[in-house]
Amino acid sequence: MSTHAIDGKLLKQMLLHGAAKLEALKENVNALNVFPVPDGDTGTNMSMTMASAVRELERTGDRTVEEVAAAVAQGSLMGARGNSGVILSQLFRGFAKGCEGHVNIAARDLAEAFQLAVETAYKAVMKPVEGTILTVARESAAAGVSLAKTVTDPVALLKGIVEAAEVSLAHTPELLPVLKKSGVVDSGGKGYTVILHGMFEVLSGGVTVEAPAAAKPVASGAAKHDLSPATRIDFDPAALGEIQFPYDCEFFIRRYPGGKPIPNEEVARLLEPMGDSIYVVGGEDRAKVHIHSDNPGPVFSLCIQYGDLIDIVIHNMREQHDYLLEHAQRAHEAEAVEEGPIGNSAVVAVAAGEGLAAIFESLGAAHVIQGGQTMNPSTEDLLNAINSCPEEAVFVLPNNKNIILAAQQAAALTPKKVYVIPTRSVPQGIAAMVSWMGDAEPAKLEGAMTKAAASVQTGEVTYAVRTTTFGDLQINEGDILGLANGQIK
């Protein structure tokens, strides 16, 4: 099949088949996971993210490629699960940018969309790791851009992108020693390559398109969201020690009357040298800015160039921590919490099983989302729990390293003030929960809860779900494993 342009209907079929192919091969992708403990496997997380995108595609028209790409971006964003799912959603978000304003896309447009996908994903991850899905996406997109200089047929272009993705995937063990030692390629890169193969099979002709079984709704349908994704989010979950950037600044930029649209990505890029925990969320007329900085002055001087600054809030996190030390005794009063709104903030925690849920609820958590090692909640799950809290300030305890990205993404999609405490285990979450006080000023709690979580040493006992070599250990499926702070010992 040869075509000079891809219309909305064809792009929709391509994406549906890409999702179906990933669903069919997700266990193959899961088998590539190097870490042998029961975890939210990459193939499962990516497939469930695509299933959410499919649900959005199925209720969206296909008149233009812009409409279709926007639907898959929104669906994958809300359904993103695990780190791999969040990165995949960012790739689709960038791809949708490349389709804006297009009814159809030709080869050059397609190459540009894949390149924008890569740029968006890299911007969303503060510390990109090469040898992962990011590398595969980047190198295959670069091949597409180069090919588009001489090729006008989208079929030939996408074929070149798929072939470059396979070459890049095969090279990932050379970039990540842990992959080479285990004799596998990167699982996220494999999942992305599977999706590309599915898209190409439709574009090149002859494939019957069916939505994957996992695309069926797994919960009551949520209302469609008006999304204004963050253009920059600091996903680094490093624990708070000495507070390098003590001023927690949050405000809105409102476009000047008759002024130019607010360039969210440019603002985020210029803010990067001024602090951390940066995100810029919004549209052309209004953008929400968050940053931890050591000097708010330059932050405001920069942002006022783009519009009026409104709803400005600044908190000194050093003062917050000192306040909590002086009032630490009050933490014990939060252990007996009655049902319903109790103060200035609420807590949403992630935990698996009734027993752990009961512990968090007894300490005052307003909502406990079922999830953890083997089932990562989606961005939408987290967002719905956050928005269901009547309090305007909400703390989120992911309690798993593979949920922190989705929690950060959910925080950027709500007007509430959300504090994601980067808890990587349930014991860390409990320590943070004990430090929470419902009637204290929310901004005064963040430093203490983060520090309490970081002080916890976690030991776990589990079993190996696959045979592998990890570090100096030869591990066989079914072996009992001991972990210290997430590391197999």
Side-chain angles (χ1 to χ4, degrees), residues 50-68:
M50 286 301 295
S52 178
V54 165
R55 289 194 291 274
E56 191 66 31
L57 281 169
E58 289 178 333
R59 57 175 175 252
T60 301
D62 54 15
R63 293 170 297 177
T64 67
V65 294
E66 178 181 28
E67 185 178 24
V68 172

Side-chain angles (χ1 to χ4, degrees), residues 299-319:
V299 172
F300 296 136
S301 295
L302 168 69
C303 293
I304 203 169
Q305 300 175 52
Y306 300 96
D308 291 314
L309 305 187
I310 60 175
D311 297 338
I312 299 172
V313 178
I314 304 176
H315 294 289
N316 187 320
M317 292 188 289
R318 290 191 183 124
E319 180 187 23

Side-chain angles (χ1 to χ4, degrees), residues 129-431:
V129 176
E130 298 300 336
T132 66
I133 180 176
L134 290 171
T135 304
V136 176
R138 175 174 56 78
E139 294 183 344
S140 60
V145 170
S146 177
L147 199 58
K149 296 175 182 178
T150 56
V151 167
T152 59
D153 184 3
V155 177
L157 183 95
L158 188 55
K159 181 181 180 182
I161 289 175
V162 172
E163 290 173 348
E166 289 286 6
V167 172
S168 179
L169 178 66
H171 187 64
T172 55
E174 304 304 318
L175 300 176
L176 277 180
V178 67
L179 297 177
K180 189 170 187 178
K181 192 165 187 177
S182 299
V184 297
V185 295
D186 177 68
S187 55
K190 176 65 175 179
Y192 182 66
T193 304
V194 168
I195 294 171
L196 292 179
H197 270 288
M199 294 175 67
F200 176 70
E201 287 174 0
V202 171
L203 186 59
S204 59
V207 173
T208 301
V209 177
E210 295 180 0
K216 298 176 181 178
V218 295
S220 58
K224 293 179 73 172
H225 298 269
D226 179 16
L227 300 181
S228 299
T231 62
R232 183 73 183 211
I233 303 175
D234 179 3
F235 287 129
D236 183 11
L240 176 66
E242 281 297 314
I243 303 177
Q244 183 181 1
F245 302 109
Y247 295 103
D248 183 357
C249 307
E250 187 173 60
F251 56 93
F252 285 88
I253 304 174
R254 184 175 60 195
R255 180 178 177 178
Y256 288 126
K260 295 181 180 179
I262 300 170
N264 292 355
E265 292 182 1
E266 176 181 316
V267 174
R269 177 175 54 80
L270 293 173
L271 284 174
E272 185 175 351
M274 301 183 188
D276 63 11
S277 295
I278 299 165
Y279 64 74
V280 180
V281 183
E284 296 181 343
D285 297 323
R286 181 176 297 214
K288 181 179 180 180
V289 178
H290 177 272
I291 181 173
H292 292 170
S293 177
D294 61 353
N295 186 350
V299 172
F300 296 136
S301 295
L302 168 69
C303 293
I304 203 169
Q305 300 175 52
Y306 300 96
D308 291 314
L309 305 187
I310 60 175
D311 297 338
I312 299 172
V313 178
I314 304 176
H315 294 289
N316 187 320
M317 292 188 289
R318 290 191 183 124
E319 180 187 23
Q320 296 160 11
H321 180 57
D322 292 342
Y323 171 90
L324 285 172
L325 288 178
E326 294 172 8
H327 297 79
Q329 186 59 35
R330 295 170 60 190
H332 299 290
E333 299 171 7
E335 293 183 2
V337 179
E338 296 182 1
E339 188 176 354
I342 59 172
N344 298 322
S345 66
V347 177
V348 171
V350 180
E354 295 180 3
L356 292 175
I359 291 173
F360 280 103
E361 288 169 355
S362 72
L363 292 171
H367 293 277
V368 180
I369 302 172
Q370 286 294 315
Q373 287 298 99
T374 56
M375 177 56 69
N376 302 138
S378 68
T379 299
E380 186 170 24
D381 293 335
L382 293 159
L383 182 62
N384 288 341
I386 291 167
N387 286 338
S388 69
C389 297
E391 294 83 359
E392 287 303 309
V394 180
F395 290 90
V396 180
L397 305 178
N399 300 333
N400 185 287
K401 65 180 181 180
N402 208 27
I403 300 174
I404 294 173
L405 280 175
Q408 290 276 15
Q409 188 157 268
L413 298 174
T414 176
K416 290 181 179 289
K417 176 65 177 178
V418 179
Y419 303 85
V420 178
I421 308 300
T423 52
R424 301 164 73 89
S425 66
V426 168
Q428 284 192 343
I430 292 173

